[in-house]
Amino acid sequence: MKINDIYTAYVSWPGGGKRRPVLIIEDGKEKVTVFKITTKYEQKSDRIKKNYFPISNWKESGLDKQSYIDTNRKKNLPKDKVTFKKVGRLSEKDLSKFNEFTKNR
């Protein structure tokens, strides 16, 4: 796996979970650190929205619809327990904007 690649992976939370797209931000020996990617934006509060990065070139990145990188919290996924499937990669344009977005937070 490479940093800035987009994969699908099962992401859990208390009481549930689902397979969803994730952005790889760190690739360690035993775990991968990711940000979740979501299509849910409009119904979120302004406080949450300010931490969502809009992916402009979402089709080029392998996503089906307008999506946002949720930078509210990093998630660690164990490589030996999660099945990853590559979807695509952030475009150079989105990567540049994303780096600026995270730097200014």
Side-chain angles (χ1 to χ4, degrees):
M1 283 183 249
K2 293 182 182 174
I3 294 172
N4 302 317
D5 280 351
I6 297 172
Y7 282 79
T8 59
Y10 185 82
V11 178
S12 62
W13 55 81
K18 69 177 184 177
R19 180 162 279 284
R20 65 174 322 121
V22 295
L23 176 70
I24 307 296
I25 56 173
E26 294 175 26
D27 184 10
K29 192 173 200 169
E30 297 178 10
K31 68 179 179 174
V32 177
T33 305
V34 302
F35 282 132
K36 296 184 290 184
I37 296 176
T38 184
T39 58
K40 308 292 188 238
Y41 180 80
E42 293 302 323
Q43 66 272 35
K44 300 295 182 182
S45 70
D46 289 339
R47 181 182 62 78
I48 291 174
K49 284 180 180 179
K50 74 177 183 175
N51 293 310
Y52 277 25
F53 173 80
I55 301 173
S56 298
N57 299 318
W58 50 271
K59 283 183 187 175
E60 180 183 323
S61 297
L63 300 165
D64 294 333
K65 48 183 147 176
Q66 175 62 64
S67 299
Y68 303 84
I69 300 169
D70 177 354
T71 65
N72 282 301
R73 191 172 39 217
K74 296 175 185 176
K75 186 93 172 149
N76 292 315
L77 303 175
K79 287 183 172 181
D80 64 340
K81 293 191 167 95
V82 177
T83 303
F84 295 90
K85 181 180 175 192
K86 187 167 181 181
V87 171
R89 183 169 180 79
L90 277 185
S91 70
E92 289 299 319
K93 181 179 176 184
D94 277 327
L95 180 55
S96 176
K97 288 181 179 180
F98 181 67
N99 287 335
E100 193 65 30
F101 179 85
T102 56
K103 188 183 342 175
N104 292 326
R105 287 192 39 237

